[in-house]
Amino acid sequence: MATDSNRFQAIISHCKEYGFIFPSSEIYDGLGAVYDYGQWGSELKKNIKDYWWKSMVQLHENIVGIDAAIFMHPTTWKASGHVDNFSDPMIDNKDSKKRYRVDHLIEGKAEELEQQGHQDQSEIILKEMDTLLAENDFDGIKKLIENNKIICSVSGTANWTDVRQFNLMFSTEFGAVSSDEEDNKIYLRPETAQGIFVNFLNVQKSGRMKIPFGIAQIGKAFRNEIVARQFIFRMREFEQMEMQFFVRPGTQMQWYEHWKAQRMQWHLSLGIPASKYRFHDHVKLAHYADAACDIEYDFPIGFKEVEGIHSRTDFDLKKHQEFSRKKIQYFDNDLDESGKPYGNYIPYVVETSIGVDRTVMMVLSEAYEEQDLSTEEKKDSRVVLKIPVHLAPIKLAILPLVKKDGLPEIARSLMNDCKPVFNCFYEEKDTIGKRYRRMDALGTPFCVTIDHQTKEDNMVTIRYRDTMQQQRIPLDQVKNIVKEAMDV
Ligand code: GAP
């Protein structure tokens, strides 16, 4: 049985063994902080994206979705501030040559202190770090690291360089021109949001959108993360689900609170209890924000950010207007309190930004259970993924008891009836017990067994993943039972 401390490793191994997530290009020993989704991981990921899209776009008449390109004009990133500001303070250990993000280094120390029972000291060091980072006091940060005797885990020394900023964007060249030319340098987008901002007018005008309205997008983002050792929590290539909500200036705080509540509601709708979530208000605001918080989930590695909610002011649209020299404004013909139209303005933006991969990790962390099923007579156990039905990669496993006597034919006919509606899995190998266990490990909520009796009475055995209870039901009810359970 996995203890709390090795639960995370157990989940990573499970993901690999059962076709959810593999290290990228593993035959070449993998690529740091890059992962591939396998046959079941990609189904889970797709279901999460579909669920987000449905709740954000389909269910909101004033939110539309787009799919912008990953490559964007390089000026985008100058305007957005990413060229100058999208960097993290880092420190190098002179002996091991290993580079660390200072906040991760200090958080690591704080965690160590907490584990040793020094809760007070842990809180003090974190508070001090927040203050120093908010003031960009890099000398102070270095002193904090030295005073707390933080050492490099590789060299074991505290021989540190000064703290410096490193940009996190990946760059590449565009077209067939020499790579030395700065002008041809383009970036892999570090957030999907800018694809929304540069299309604000296109969408607003072509869709005749009226403020307040939102534009949503799901897509890849890239960051050259320096410390990337927490499985799919911190990747160099990852996916975001973002929504920019455009509002009248002055109303942004009201919308910020609205989206905080809405997004928390979405998280709770995944069946995860409220006690596993918390809000974390930002002390050091990003260069574009006037308020920001994270929704954190209690991962096996502790409470960590899954989603960010940011009130981004009019920073981005204003900057794109300035750099593109194109007017990016909205004419609001609603009347203000004095009876005059609000007129032209640059909208303010409230953003919700959630990582797809972190959501996958959250769902898997919540779902993973190792159960001891031993009785006095025999030892037994199972690993089960209690994934919500609508997110589960496979909804229904169809299992003929034996490979003969006409049972596969009945099973195949059920498969053909159900597979256009939801994902099914057909399996006739191994004992039924082994097949059930395998489906538990993949998070399949329903298994249906076709046996000899089925030929007589058209009844099948349905087995429920979470309770392991079994029930005889009419064959022709199977599809509806699964369909109803998928409804959210
Ligand atoms: N547009 C705002 C933005 O990008 P962020 O807080 O930097 O804000 C939003 O990122 C979300 O993207 C995070 O809450 C996280 O879920 C996800 N994310 C960010 N960096 C990530 C990384 N390196 N690997 C995996 N997910 C990441």
Side-chain angles (χ1 to χ4, degrees):
M1 293 286 142
T3 61
D4 272 358
S5 57
N6 66 22
R7 187 175 150 80
F8 190 46
Q9 285 311 321
I11 293 171
I12 297 173
S13 307
H14 188 88
C15 283
K16 185 162 174 235
E17 188 180 345
Y18 286 93
F20 281 85
I21 299 162
F22 311 120
S24 163
S25 26
E26 199 190 4
I27 56 166
Y28 297 106
D29 297 332
L31 184 66
V34 186
Y35 289 89
D36 296 338
Y37 283 81
Q39 62 277 34
W40 305 126
S42 54
E43 290 287 343
L44 171 62
K45 192 179 183 198
K46 182 182 167 297
N47 293 341
I48 288 172
K49 290 193 279 187
D50 288 348
Y51 181 54
W52 182 87
W53 192 268
K54 184 175 177 190
S55 53
M56 296 300 276
V57 181
Q58 190 178 328
L59 292 179
H60 286 94
E61 290 171 32
N62 62 347
I63 300 180
V64 290
I66 64 164
D67 184 12
I70 289 172
F71 288 145
M72 298 184 69
H73 193 284
T75 311
T76 309
W77 306 109
K78 288 193 185 115
S80 67
H82 283 83
V83 172
D84 293 330
N85 294 314
F86 194 60
S87 49
D88 278 329
M90 312 269 188
I91 196 164
D92 292 9
N93 183 272
K94 290 184 195 162
D95 300 320
S96 67
K97 311 274 182 265
K98 217 172 142 38
R99 179 166 294 162
Y100 295 88
R101 251 175 77 168
V102 294
D103 55 338
H104 291 168
L105 205 55
I106 297 167
E107 277 164 9
K109 180 70 182 182
E111 247 172 66
E112 198 182 301
L113 287 167
E114 205 177 314
Q115 277 161 14
Q116 293 164 351
H118 306 301
Q119 180 78 26
D120 292 356
Q121 268 174 278
S122 164
E123 278 167 24
I124 291 171
I125 181 175
L126 288 177
K127 220 164 156 196
E128 213 171 316
M129 174 185 82
D130 280 345
T131 315
L132 292 166
L133 285 177
E135 291 165 355
N136 279 331
D137 181 354
F138 293 161
D139 288 343
I141 286 282
K142 187 175 178 190
K143 275 202 197 98
L144 185 68
I145 291 171
E146 286 170 346
N147 293 346
N148 282 282
K149 304 198 168 39
I150 299 178
I151 53 164
C152 162
S153 59
V154 177
S155 67
T157 69
N159 192 10
W160 298 110
T161 61
D162 286 339
V163 175
R164 283 168 298 169
Q165 295 273 23
F166 286 90
N167 198 292
L168 298 181
M169 282 195 293
F170 282 104
S171 61
T172 186
E173 301 102 44
F174 210 57
V177 192
S178 130
S179 60
D180 299 339
E181 297 196 20
E182 201 47 33
D183 283 355
N184 300 307
K185 185 163 156 182
I186 68 164
Y187 297 99
L188 297 187
R189 67 182 179 196
E191 61 169 8
T192 60
Q194 297 304 324
I196 292 178
F197 290 124
V198 299
N199 278 299
F200 167 76
L201 276 187
N202 283 337
V203 175
Q204 191 273 316
K205 287 191 188 310
S206 63
R208 298 194 295 164
M209 305 302 291
K210 209 167 148 27
I211 270 178
F213 74 91
I215 305 179
Q217 170 164 232
I218 300 178
K220 290 268 186 175
F222 304 83
R223 296 181 191 179
N224 198 2
E225 300 283 2
I226 300 301
V227 179
R229 53 157 196 267
Q230 290 161 321
F231 191 38
I232 54 168
F233 182 80
R234 198 174 301 285
M235 299 157 90
R236 296 199 165 101
E237 173 181 340
F238 58 100
E239 240 176 316
Q240 291 184 314
M241 306 187 278
E242 298 203 294
M243 193 277 297
Q244 316 298 129
F245 200 69
F246 299 93
V247 304
R248 194 174 287 151
T251 63
Q252 71 271 21
M253 281 307 144
Q254 167 196 327
W255 285 112
Y256 174 67
E257 293 303 330
H258 170 88
W259 282 110
K260 261 178 87 170
Q262 286 273 310
R263 292 305 304 150
M264 184 53 97
Q265 225 22 67
W266 185 86
H267 281 273
L268 297 173
S269 78
L270 299 174
I272 298 175
S275 58
K276 299 293 275 296
Y277 287 113
R278 70 180 184 197
F279 281 112
H280 167 78
D281 291 319
H282 287 198
V283 179
K284 185 179 189 314
L285 291 172
H287 59 276
Y288 48 72
D290 69 353
C293 70
D294 300 332
I295 294 178
E296 295 185 340
Y297 167 77
D298 191 6
F299 286 101
I301 47 173
F303 269 102
K304 304 257 179 224
E305 172 188 350
V306 185
E307 172 155 12
I309 297 153
H310 313 123
S311 172
R312 286 180 85 130
T313 68
D314 57 355
F315 176 88
D316 300 86
L317 290 183
K318 209 176 188 169
K319 284 285 174 190
H320 287 307
Q321 174 170 276
E322 185 186 321
F323 278 72
S324 67
R325 296 203 199 91
K326 306 227 166 58
K327 204 166 155 189
I328 304 181
Q329 294 199 358
Y330 173 80
F331 183 77
D332 191 340
N333 51 18
D334 280 0
L335 304 181
D336 66 14
E337 277 159 21
S338 66
K340 289 201 207 93
Y342 282 98
N344 269 317
Y345 56 77
I346 299 178
Y348 270 47
V349 173
V350 174
E351 156 184 85
T352 71
S353 174
I354 178 168
V356 179
D357 312 275
R358 284 190 195 176
T359 312
V360 169
M361 189 166 136
M362 175 173 78
V363 168
L364 286 170
S365 304
E366 191 63 25
Y368 183 88
E369 238 179 79
E370 293 179 7
Q371 295 179 339
D372 184 355
L373 306 172
S374 301
T375 57
E376 280 186 4
E377 290 79 51
K378 75 171 174 112
K379 275 190 108 42
D380 196 9
S381 67
R382 70 165 181 164
V383 171
V384 55
L385 294 182
K386 292 185 172 174
I387 302 174
V389 179
H390 65 289
L391 301 181
I394 304 164
K395 312 298 183 202
L396 174 69
I398 299 173
L399 316 171
L401 192 62
V402 290
K403 291 194 236 183
K404 53 183 186 186
D405 304 335
L407 303 190
E409 285 74 11
I410 302 175
R412 279 280 169 211
S413 149
L414 178 64
M415 182 83 185
N416 289 338
D417 188 30
C418 292
K419 74 180 179 194
V421 188
F422 46 76
N423 225 5
C424 304
F425 189 82
Y426 180 89
E427 177 83 278
E428 52 184 32
K429 280 195 297 284
D430 286 332
T431 63
I432 204 74
K434 273 194 184 155
R435 284 185 262 171
Y436 283 159
R437 287 289 185 275
R438 187 164 168 76
M439 285 301 125
D440 289 342
L442 297 177
T444 306
F446 303 101
C447 292
V448 153
T449 306
I450 285 98
D451 54 26
H452 292 94
Q453 188 65 29
T454 310
K455 291 205 301 190
E456 312 293 319
D457 59 8
N458 270 326
M459 301 283 276
V460 291
T461 301
I462 187 162
R463 177 205 183 251
Y464 301 97
R465 175 195 67 196
D466 297 354
T467 59
M468 294 190 288
Q469 271 176 353
Q470 301 184 15
Q471 204 184 354
R472 287 301 276 185
I473 57 158
L475 177 62
D476 61 8
Q477 280 185 16
V478 172
K479 186 162 82 179
N480 267 347
I481 289 177
V482 178
K483 251 171 69 180
E484 272 169 32
M486 283 165 61
D487 272 352
V488 271

